[in-house]
Amino acid sequence: MKTTTILTVVGARPQFIKAAAVSRAIRASADFHEVMVHTGQHFDEMMSDVFFRELEIGKPEVNLAINGGSHGAMTGQMLEGIERCLIDRRPSWVMVYGDTNSTLAGALAAAKLHIPVVHVEAGLRSFNRRMPEEVNRVVTDHVSALLLSPTMIGVRNLESEGITRGVHHVGDVMYDAMLHAQKSSRESSTILSELGLAEGSYAIATVHRAENTDDPVRLQKVMSAIDETAAGLPVVMPVHPRTRQAVERHSTKLGSIRTIDPVGYIDMVRLLDGATVVLTDSGGLQKEAYFARRPCVTLRDETEWTETLEHGWNRLWTTPDWQPRSDIVDYGTGQAAEAVLDAIRQHRH
Ligand code: UDP
């Protein structure tokens, strides 16, 4: 009997991908039922709809269509909208992912109504409170009942903030998602031939963090660094809408970087699989580069995914060399979604 209702709050691209893995496990379970609420933070065909279609996530039952505006305005509207859904549905759990405004709003709305929150991707820290994502992570973790961390470093970060109850290391649901997409991407994606790219002879780049896009000088530095690091390799960059606007606003020079519209996940996994090197400020891509066993250069001054640095698959743009390479066991074996559901089953309020 599907007696336990989980209300999942998603809103941004990486959350659709992570939620796809857990939703699949929920559908296959005998005891869980899911209500999906989309805040609308990411909203168009290529930032949202394509993921629901390709990853076979059911259409969200509710779409709050909240996007744009300042952090406070957006989060405030989300809080109000999510609270209404929670009062209406009275779920047993609210599930949130990662570190966006949708994560924070979902967690806060639930905690105030005494509905237990499960935070998937808990415990990550950049230790840079100027990042909006860091504030979202810290607050979300402190109001969550169940804190599911992809890494042991995450577990230790929580411990050092005094959070030990309800903490589990479950592995990375993004690894589940990527393994699932990899097979069909090799069979069905035609993106390499569409773009005229040869397997193993191009770099893939993404830039979207506010810390890189908001300041024109910094944005130019990042784009120039991509061009230089690729050292003559063709660079393909699916451009996030925020970055597209910033590049136009600041007339940023892109050198030989070839920009394309954002792509769906199946094409993205194919692009990653065929790349020589990954250049990114994305959290997700740093790990996906490792999953595809491609070296990564992170275009930031710190990262939450420090094990990717220690195991030699990733380096910060300020550090010239990679450490010697070894496998990262923390991310698990592609069964993290099952571990998420088991942790909920075992939780005693
Ligand atoms: N991604 C995608 N299409 C794109 C760019 C990224 O499917 O055009 C995927 C990428 O593979 C990763 C996720 O989106 O799984 C990362 O999202 P983003 O970089 O927006 O967020 P972050 O991971 O930094 O939170």
Side-chain angles (χ1 to χ4, degrees):
M1 275 276 284
K2 290 194 171 266
T3 48
T4 308
T5 298
I6 299 174
L7 187 142
T8 301
V9 178
V10 291
R13 174 169 67 187
Q15 293 165 339
F16 311 141
I17 297 165
K18 292 165 205 167
V22 179
S23 279
R24 203 173 302 118
I26 291 177
R27 281 197 301 276
S29 78
D31 44 353
F32 290 108
H33 165 70
E34 184 173 43
V35 174
M36 176 92 64
V37 174
H38 190 327
T39 61
Q41 190 174 346
H42 284 169
F43 52 89
D44 64 12
E45 163 63 21
M46 291 316 289
M47 292 299 288
S48 173
D49 302 358
V50 65
F51 298 98
F52 286 85
R53 209 172 45 246
E54 275 186 351
L55 305 179
E56 294 161 21
I57 318 170
K59 199 170 156 350
E61 282 191 32
V62 181
N63 190 325
L64 298 172
I66 298 163
N67 47 69
S70 65
H71 279 272
M74 190 200 288
T75 312
Q77 286 176 52
M78 286 176 182
L79 255 178
E80 207 180 333
I82 295 167
E83 187 180 61
R84 270 198 308 274
C85 295
L86 296 181
I87 291 169
D88 201 32
R89 313 278 170 144
R90 282 279 151 195
S92 317
W93 287 91
V94 167
M95 189 179 290
V96 294
Y97 292 86
D99 54 23
T100 70
N101 291 341
S102 304
T103 314
L104 174 65
L108 261 185
K112 292 282 180 103
L113 292 170
H114 310 142
I115 300 170
V117 177
V118 46
H119 185 200
V120 179
E121 222 174 64
L124 297 184
R125 295 291 181 267
S126 66
F127 302 102
N128 174 2
R129 291 269 173 114
R130 291 185 59 81
M131 287 177 73
E133 293 90 345
E134 182 78 351
V135 177
N136 293 341
R137 289 180 197 122
V138 171
V139 178
T140 300
D141 281 340
H142 282 261
V143 298
S144 292
L146 204 43
L147 300 100
L148 307 183
S149 180
T151 64
M152 281 311 293
I153 292 173
V155 171
R156 286 195 287 274
N157 288 339
L158 292 169
E159 209 172 4
S160 68
E161 290 174 23
I163 308 176
T164 51
R165 274 200 76 221
V167 177
H168 302 260
H169 170 219
V170 291
D172 191 354
V173 294
M174 201 156 225
Y175 186 36
D176 301 20
M178 175 127 167
L179 285 177
H180 195 261
Q182 226 158 11
K183 192 166 168 283
S184 60
S185 95
R186 284 185 194 142
E187 284 163 7
S188 67
S189 172
T190 54
I191 188 88
L192 295 194
S193 59
E194 280 166 43
L195 296 175
L197 295 169
E199 185 94 36
S201 62
Y202 64 91
I204 176 145
T206 74
V207 173
H208 76 89
R209 298 250 165 234
E211 68 204 71
N212 281 336
T213 59
D214 286 359
D215 170 15
V217 176
R218 171 84 178 197
L219 183 62
Q220 186 60 67
K221 221 169 133 189
V222 168
M223 293 302 176
S224 303
I226 293 173
D227 212 14
E228 280 159 32
T229 313
L233 272 181
V235 184
V236 57
M237 176 188 275
V239 192
H240 192 282
R242 174 198 283 156
T243 314
R244 165 91 57 207
Q245 282 168 12
V247 163
E248 282 167 13
R249 195 167 56 243
H250 307 316
S251 306
T252 309
K253 294 188 189 63
L254 297 179
S256 59
I257 299 169
R258 178 171 171 197
T259 60
I260 58 171
D261 285 336
V263 294
Y265 195 55
I266 301 294
D267 283 342
M268 190 65 192
V269 170
R270 186 69 193 91
L271 281 169
L272 276 162
D273 247 352
T276 314
V277 63
V278 179
L279 308 157
T280 191
D281 64 4
S282 155
L285 245 80
Q286 293 174 53
K287 289 170 300 153
E288 287 166 334
Y290 165 69
F291 301 151
R293 298 296 194 274
R294 300 289 176 259
C296 180
V297 179
T298 292
L299 305 161
R300 288 178 46 198
D301 301 334
E302 74 276 309
T303 176
E304 305 74 50
W305 302 100
T306 49
E307 58 288 318
T308 59
L309 304 179
E310 284 152 21
H311 290 266
W313 293 95
N314 189 9
R315 68 173 177 85
L316 300 179
W317 66 333
T318 46
T319 313
D321 297 312
W322 284 278
Q323 296 289 321
R325 282 186 193 151
S326 54
D327 285 346
I328 306 173
V329 291
D330 267 23
Y331 297 143
T333 56
Q335 305 292 319
E338 274 306 327
V340 165
L341 297 189
D342 280 342
I344 297 175
R345 286 185 189 108
Q346 285 155 22
H347 186 77
R348 296 280 164 266
H349 296 298

